[in-house]
Amino acid sequence: MKIRWFNTLPVIIFIALLLCLWLGLGRDTNLLPSALLEKPMPVFTLPDLNNQPLSEKQWQGKVALVNIWATWCLPCRTEHPILLKLAEQGVTIYGLNYKDDYQDALLWLNQRGNPYQSVARDVGGLVAIDWGVYGVPETFVIDKKGNIRYRLVGILTEEAWQKQLKPLMDTLQEE
Amino acid sequence: MIPEIGHLALIIALIFAFLQAGSGLLSSDRAKRTWLTGVTPAFAFGQTFFLLFSYLALTYLFVNNDFSVAYVANHSNTQLPIYYRISAVWGAHEGSLLLWVLILSLWSTCVAWQLPKQLSKSVATQVLGVLGSISTGFLLFILWTSNPFLRLLPFSPEQGRDLNPLLQDPGLIMHPPMLYMGYVGFAVAFALAIVALWRGELERAWAQAARTWTLVAWLFLTLGITLGSWWAYYELGWGGWWFWDPVENASLLPWLVGTALLHSLLTVSSQGIFKRWVSLLAIAAFSLSLLGTFLVRSGVLTSVHAFANDPERGVFILILLGVVVGGSLLLYATRAHCLTSPECSLGLSRETLILTNNSLLVIACATVLLGTIYPLILDAMSQVKLSVGAPYFNRLFVPLAWLLMLILAVGPVSRWRQSFHVAVKPLLWSAMGVSVLIFLINVFVLQLFWQVALTIALGIWVVLGSTIAVWLRTQFHWQAMKHLSLRYYGMLLAHLGVVVTAVGVAVVSFYSIERDVRMQVDDSLALAGYVVTFKDVTPYQGANYKSTRGQFTLQLKDKPVSAYLFPEKRVYLAQGMPLAETAIDANLWRDIYIALGEPLDNTGETWAVRVYYKPLVRWLWLGGLLMVAGAILSVFSKKKKEQHENPLV
């Protein structure tokens, strides 16, 4: 077979492009840098599941995950069992229930189990804006002083936990 | 039951697509396999039938508010008007993909029906095979990662989340189907190119057939882009009409290459040269459509269109992209040498001009592509996050557009294989002189910005060039002009469309007046010779939204009121999402554009108001429509007439 090298140029360029896209795919979907990295959590006071006021002060003191979720969010259904497993292993998880119905949220947690230490209900979605949330689900890692240290956009998968969140949380525990 | 039946129809469609691919690709001219030529169209029809069925099933679920289906629950609502429930089917990822393959199968059906009349049956069958393979890939993608029929059981919500309010707009009902018709339509030219490379033969008849298919796809894409730009202008409330957003760029890339393809196909059909180049362009146009789908659907680029996305989908599309594009480029690398062209002479002939046009369009495409994916490449290399903005695109794209207009004028005057006719040279020089003069008058007498002056002068240069071309062929004799083909007039009309759009872009970019002001009831604002008065603000209740509606009057200074304008500030109930509905007083020469911002005090009588004056903004879309009209004329042109034209050339 006769191959002219000039004719192979398009396919070579394409492979280079594909490689870039593939690398981009691995990165972007997991990590969107937050403007709040290394900064304290935004101040808020919201009702919790018992309609008692809850503020960010109550989430300080431990290395923890803050998970933004909603009952209408489909990926949250995939994520929920993973959160439950982490909670069983002793990971502290706080929930920010985003633009949701109170009754729906209660029903969800009763039927599927509650992985959260406490849940702040952000009915209007304004607190989520302060956090820079861009789509549900999202998960933040906070340190003992209540500073945001990491932001994960999208589903918290087993892989993301093992590779990114767990190592980070282990080092934060030692700080 | 309906969701399951729709799902089943989708699976049956996949089987048909697979059969279409298999029988089409295995068919050949050998006697043993001729039966495959007979059954392949039947598979294409079967695929279309079941996809249509599946699509109608999904529409039925939307119309009847079946919120046990996740896709319906997430994108519809009982309060949503019926026409938006029907268009909500393609309001998000799963449904738009279903529409995508449905349109692909419709193109397959048209190919099965029309292509055998243009080219041999065996070529048509193989083209169907290639189209069937693409369908198979996309149907697998839908069933694997993006099934619109998945149920939410036992947690079915009582009420749906509603369609994104931005998409609840008449302009957007038709925008995605038009765009997809264009994107997917390039698949036919792509399949034709693959078959030509495979068989090692690319004849003039092939180019004529390919040109018609490409033209139809191109006109839909042009219409889709025009609609999208118009929608962004009045719906987003910033008065912008093009943002160089990755998703917009994704539609521009195949358009640029498709335009290049249309021109070089002419060269193949009339001179038999540029065969390899044309097959490469055909592959590129569809590949860029696929790349656009990937960029939009994988969430790899952050854009206003994207949401937190599912990475699995991205991987699948990337694999699909790799197989389809990589495979066809590999085919090109090994087979392109079989497509041989006769020697061509350069010089100022039409083929040289088309080659220049193609180079400029491809460079423009590469520029936009680079700007779109540069943030991605940089992130992959060095983990720096940045975005490439309008200044980059404008600085590089605009000069290329000027160069294109410069040669656009002489294209229709030029001749194949030889330089310009002796009679036109003095005419062209005088046209050039007139254009330069107009440029100088614009700059020094009228004091226009030089960019605007240049665009107008180039526009006149193109119009004069076209006039010379018509003169050359007819000397303006009525009989001769009647004998020019529709295709010829279509070409002139499309070129005029480019001029109209370019002048509109230039003027609106440099002479818009944008005022963000604080206005109280009864306040007036003077703007570009007009007076805008804030009369009143009242609450208003829509079907699925609450609204605050302002009343403004518009008048020329010292003249009676000429128009009432009612911009709104809406809150859509289901998602609590606020949206500004703009009010526009439009005519051919200018728009007055009013958007209501936020209330500035508790009485509700003081508001932040945006008032824009946009000269010639309508020309942007008018030009797009002229291009579409030109393409339509060209599609309906009869071939016979073309033999009679060209007495002089």
Side-chain angles (χ1 to χ4, degrees), chain B residues 186-203:
Chain B
F186 284 135
V188 182
F190 168 83
L192 277 163
I194 296 294
V195 172
L197 284 168
W198 185 255
R199 298 168 73 104
E201 54 187 40
L202 195 154
E203 298 312 320

Side-chain angles (χ1 to χ4, degrees), chain A residues 31-97:
Chain A
L31 177 72
L32 267 177
S34 167
L36 295 172
L37 281 188
E38 317 296 328
K39 290 191 184 139
M41 281 183 276
V43 178
F44 66 84
T45 309
L46 285 173
D48 69 2
L49 289 173
N50 304 316
N51 277 328
Q52 300 300 314
L54 174 74
S55 79
E56 85 290 347
K57 299 233 166 45
Q58 282 147 276
W59 287 358
Q60 287 170 356
K62 283 183 192 166
V63 178
L65 296 177
V66 175
N67 175 249
I68 323 284
W69 64 285
T71 57
W72 46 262
C73 143
L74 289 177
C76 297
R77 284 162 202 253
T78 321
E79 191 181 60
H80 200 77
I82 299 169
L83 292 177
L84 282 173
K85 212 171 89 189
L86 295 185
E88 263 173 38
Q89 292 167 9
V91 180
T92 310
I93 308 175
Y94 301 117
L96 185 70
N97 183 223

Side-chain angles (χ1 to χ4, degrees), chain A residues 1-152:
Chain A
M1 197 185 291
K2 216 166 51 167
I3 297 182
R4 302 270 165 82
W5 290 112
F6 184 69
N7 292 342
T8 57
L9 209 58
V11 74
I12 292 169
I13 294 173
F14 174 71
I15 289 170
L17 183 68
L18 208 63
L19 212 64
C20 291
L21 291 177
W22 181 68
L23 288 171
L25 201 68
R27 251 173 253 280
D28 265 37
T29 42
N30 289 325
L31 177 72
L32 267 177
S34 167
L36 295 172
L37 281 188
E38 317 296 328
K39 290 191 184 139
M41 281 183 276
V43 178
F44 66 84
T45 309
L46 285 173
D48 69 2
L49 289 173
N50 304 316
N51 277 328
Q52 300 300 314
L54 174 74
S55 79
E56 85 290 347
K57 299 233 166 45
Q58 282 147 276
W59 287 358
Q60 287 170 356
K62 283 183 192 166
V63 178
L65 296 177
V66 175
N67 175 249
I68 323 284
W69 64 285
T71 57
W72 46 262
C73 143
L74 289 177
C76 297
R77 284 162 202 253
T78 321
E79 191 181 60
H80 200 77
I82 299 169
L83 292 177
L84 282 173
K85 212 171 89 189
L86 295 185
E88 263 173 38
Q89 292 167 9
V91 180
T92 310
I93 308 175
Y94 301 117
L96 185 70
N97 183 223
Y98 176 67
K99 283 194 181 177
D100 212 344
D101 183 80
Y102 185 23
Q103 295 304 327
D104 283 355
L106 284 180
L107 191 70
W108 167 288
L109 294 178
N110 280 336
Q111 281 174 336
R112 298 180 179 225
N114 184 352
Y116 306 110
Q117 304 274 330
S118 63
V119 174
R121 295 193 301 110
D122 184 19
V123 180
L126 290 176
V127 170
I129 292 178
D130 290 340
W131 281 72
V133 169
Y134 148 127
V136 248
E138 280 190 21
T139 305
F140 292 82
V141 176
I142 52 173
D143 65 16
K144 289 177 187 163
K145 290 174 202 143
N147 292 329
I148 292 175
R149 302 299 289 265
Y150 192 80
R151 172 188 184 196
L152 179 88

Side-chain angles (χ1 to χ4, degrees), chain A residues 1-33 71-75 77 98-99 104 107-109 111-112 123-124 134-138 153-155 157, chain B residues 70-71 74 94 152-155 157 161 276 280 287 291 294-295 298-303 306-311 314-316 318 321-323 325-327 329-330 332-337 369 373 376-377 379-381 383 385 575-577:
Chain A
M1 197 185 291
K2 216 166 51 167
I3 297 182
R4 302 270 165 82
W5 290 112
F6 184 69
N7 292 342
T8 57
L9 209 58
V11 74
I12 292 169
I13 294 173
F14 174 71
I15 289 170
L17 183 68
L18 208 63
L19 212 64
C20 291
L21 291 177
W22 181 68
L23 288 171
L25 201 68
R27 251 173 253 280
D28 265 37
T29 42
N30 289 325
L31 177 72
L32 267 177
T71 57
W72 46 262
C73 143
L74 289 177
R77 284 162 202 253
Y98 176 67
K99 283 194 181 177
D104 283 355
L107 191 70
W108 167 288
L109 294 178
Q111 281 174 336
R112 298 180 179 225
V123 180
Y134 148 127
V136 248
E138 280 190 21
V153 176
I155 301 178
T157 55
Chain B
Y71 184 65
N74 274 334
E94 289 86 345
L152 278 176
L153 292 172
F155 280 97
R161 282 193 63 212
R276 287 175 208 168
L280 191 59
S287 304
L291 184 73
F294 170 79
L295 292 181
S298 64
V300 73
L301 285 178
T302 315
S303 132
F307 215 55
N309 258 306
D310 186 351
V315 173
F316 198 112
L318 199 62
L321 196 69
V323 172
V325 184
L329 289 178
L330 216 56
Y332 176 84
T334 52
R335 302 282 299 176
H337 64 90
L369 181 64
I373 60 167
L376 211 81
I377 298 175
D379 183 32
M381 304 282 175
Q383 312 207 351
K385 301 259 179 189
Q575 298 184 5
M577 179 163 166

